[in-house]
């Protein structure tokens, strides 16, 4: 043996960690079933939504708790709150409190153990031995002694966690929107999650392309999207946006624009349809059009648009991967009238601009110009005067920026 008093060392380390120890954080970290997927909903809507499993301790339910506010900072489509009781006597009061406080909380449900299990001290020891195991490093004898304790404690913790995440074990109560749910199988749990998504995200259009219909896309998908944005921002749209072949950009263009009837091919070119027969897609385009119209009264932040398209309160819940495509499609119809600003400075209407907005929408604002025939004629005359300095690529931008740039070059 190593000669080290393992038990005493663990107790000393646990005491040293006590000020920063968090039971809920440790359980969340060790939970291998940290996400719950609404399988039926995902299959029907050709996308991946998920619920995050978050442990909460009993003291977090003291006073008036607003679960809608509590869930806002959690990056997930829904939340499973796994509630850890402090004692045998607290289970029934907790059940009553959760039942009442969960009313009106549409995208969260709650899991509470039927029986109390002492886990806090075991978790403290586990946290301590995890640290000691790491410190032991190359001392194989000492490491193995810590490892034996570590594995025993981890098994206990995994058993405790599985009582929350595996309904077939019959160890927990499931509560949603003020009512206890009859859940005895994992399939029933995922079905509840699907029902919640159907209600909360009732206006989400079906976009059959997992490469782009997500928040974080690959670099390959990013370049494909960039090609689509370039096609959408041309003054005259080419048929299929000028994309040919079997590349990913063609697949994404077909899924996001052609099959949703947003892009309509004519004999020689194409046009944008802001009123497609797909009602949910029309709702998305209407939201973007309304955002543009609201900027006629002054600058508005793109954060407002993104909040409308993404947040569950508005029932659309779009993934950020597709937002630049639909924003650019609507902007094509208004591009001569809109100005995009960052810190008060105008920036060009380019594919890269929409990519930057997608990363930090709060940094960018939109202003819609009150354009008329007199102003149009004025710009036309200026462009005639400075035509030698006009660059064709810049004419793809706003109604006057190309003329202003030509004057500067002159």
């Amino acid at each position: 043996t190593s000669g080290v008093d393992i038990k005493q060392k663990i107790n000393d380390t646990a005491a040293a960690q006590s000020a920063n120890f968090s039971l809920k954080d440790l359980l969340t970290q060790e939970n291998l079933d940290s996400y719950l997927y609404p399988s039926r909903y995902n299959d029907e809507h050709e996308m991946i939504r998920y619920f995050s499993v978050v442990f909460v301790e009993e003291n977090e339910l003291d006073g008036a708790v607003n679960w809608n506010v509590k869930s806002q900072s959690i990056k997930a489509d829904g939340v499973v709150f796994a509630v850890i009781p402090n004692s045998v006597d607290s289970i029934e009061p907790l059940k009553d409190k959760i039942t009442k406080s969960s009313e009106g909380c549409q995208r969260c449900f709650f899991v509470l153990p039927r029986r109390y299990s002492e886990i806090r001290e075991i978790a403290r020891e586990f946290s301590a031995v995890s640290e000691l195991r790491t410190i032991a490093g190359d001392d194989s004898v000492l490491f193995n002694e810590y490892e034996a304790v570590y594995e025993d404690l981890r098994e206990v913790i995994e058993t405790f966690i599985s009582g929350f995440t595996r309904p077939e074990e019959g160890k927990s109560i499931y509560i949603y929107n003020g009512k206890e749910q009859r859940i005895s199988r994992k399939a029933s749990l995922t079905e509840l999650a699907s029902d919640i998504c159907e209600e909360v995200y009732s206006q989400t259009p079906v976009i059959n392309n997992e490469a782009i219909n997500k928040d974080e896309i690959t670099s390959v998908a990013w370049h494909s999207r960039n090609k689509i944005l370039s096609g959408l921002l041309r003054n005259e749209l080419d048929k299929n946006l000028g994309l040919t072949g079997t590349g990913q950009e063609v697949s994404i263009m077909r899924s996001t624009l052609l099959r949703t009837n947003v892009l309509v091919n004519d004999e020689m070119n194409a046009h944008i349809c802001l009123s497609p027969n797909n009602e949910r897609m029309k709702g998305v385009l209407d939201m973007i059009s309304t955002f543009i119209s609201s900027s006629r009264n002054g600058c508005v932040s793109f954060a407002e648009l993104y909040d409308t398209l993404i947040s569950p309160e508005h029932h659309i819940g779009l993934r950020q991967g597709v937002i630049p495509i639909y924003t650019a499609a609507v902007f094509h119809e208004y591009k001569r009238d809109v100005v995009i600003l960052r810190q008060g400075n105008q920036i060009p209407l380019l594919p890269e601009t929409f990519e930057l907005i997608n990363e930090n929408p709060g940094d960018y604002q939109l202003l819609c110009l009150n354009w008329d025939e007199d102003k149009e004629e004025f710009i036309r005359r200026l462009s005639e005067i400075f035509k030698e300095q006009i660059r064709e690529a810049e004419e793809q931008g706003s109604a006057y920026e190309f003329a202003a740039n030509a004057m500067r070059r002159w």
Side-chain angles (χ1 to χ4, degrees), residues 192-205:
L192 173 61
S194 290
D195 290 342
I196 292 171
C197 286
E198 289 284 5
E199 184 172 351
V200 175
Y201 303 103
S202 58
Q203 301 305 311
T204 306

Side-chain angles (χ1 to χ4, degrees), residues 94-256:
L94 274 176
K95 181 181 175 182
D96 292 340
K97 186 172 286 188
I98 292 169
T99 300
K100 291 174 183 176
S101 64
S102 66
E103 289 183 10
C105 185
Q106 287 190 306
R107 67 185 192 100
C108 309
F109 65 90
F110 302 81
V111 190
L112 178 69
R114 294 183 184 276
R115 296 181 179 84
Y116 174 74
S117 299
E118 172 51 51
I119 197 66
R120 188 174 298 275
E121 288 307 312
I122 292 170
R124 286 183 187 276
E125 291 181 16
F126 179 78
S127 176
V129 78
S130 297
E131 181 179 319
L132 291 168
R133 180 169 160 268
T134 303
I135 294 172
D138 296 332
D139 188 335
S140 60
V141 175
L142 183 58
F143 178 88
N144 288 337
E145 291 180 4
Y146 285 134
E147 177 74 2
V149 179
Y150 173 88
E151 290 297 338
D152 288 343
L153 294 174
R154 186 174 70 170
E155 185 176 343
V156 176
I157 289 172
E158 287 179 351
T159 300
F160 179 80
I161 292 173
S162 70
F164 288 88
T165 59
R166 298 178 183 176
E168 61 271 18
E169 295 182 9
K171 294 180 179 179
S172 292
I173 300 164
Y174 297 83
I175 298 171
Y176 173 64
N177 200 11
K179 296 180 180 178
E180 184 175 344
Q181 306 294 308
R182 299 182 64 180
I183 305 289
S184 58
R185 297 180 301 128
K186 191 64 173 279
S188 301
L189 197 59
T190 61
E191 185 62 22
L192 173 61
S194 290
D195 290 342
I196 292 171
C197 286
E198 289 284 5
E199 184 172 351
V200 175
Y201 303 103
S202 58
Q203 301 305 311
T204 306
V206 175
I207 301 165
N208 187 8
N209 195 302
E210 288 189 11
I212 196 69
N213 197 16
K214 57 175 67 173
D215 285 328
E216 297 180 9
I217 62 176
T218 65
S219 59
V220 175
W222 187 93
H223 286 292
S224 297
R225 183 175 66 188
N226 198 269
K227 292 177 183 178
I228 295 170
L229 296 179
S230 295
L232 287 169
L233 294 176
R234 295 192 182 103
N235 284 337
E236 297 294 329
L237 297 180
D238 293 328
K239 193 173 183 178
N240 292 328
L241 301 182
L243 302 174
T244 58
T246 57
Q248 188 186 60
E249 63 274 10
V250 175
S251 172
I252 293 174
M253 181 270 297
R254 289 184 179 279
S255 301
T256 57

Side-chain angles (χ1 to χ4, degrees), residues 332-351:
H332 179 272
E333 302 300 289
Y334 293 89
K335 64 180 295 187
R336 304 290 289 180
D337 301 332
V338 295
V339 175
I340 297 176
L341 304 167
R342 185 176 187 274
Q343 296 179 343
N345 298 313
Q346 183 176 345
I347 57 176
L349 204 64
L350 299 173

Side-chain angles (χ1 to χ4, degrees), residues 58-102:
E58 180 178 327
N59 58 7
E60 294 181 62
L61 278 74
D62 291 343
V65 57
N66 188 324
W67 296 108
N68 288 317
V69 173
K70 199 174 185 67
S71 63
Q72 283 178 354
S73 60
I74 300 170
K75 189 172 175 58
D77 298 293
V79 185
V80 181
F81 284 112
V83 184
I84 312 164
N86 287 337
S87 67
V88 175
D89 296 334
S90 62
I91 291 179
E92 281 303 316
L94 274 176
K95 181 181 175 182
D96 292 340
K97 186 172 286 188
I98 292 169
T99 300
K100 291 174 183 176
S101 64
S102 66

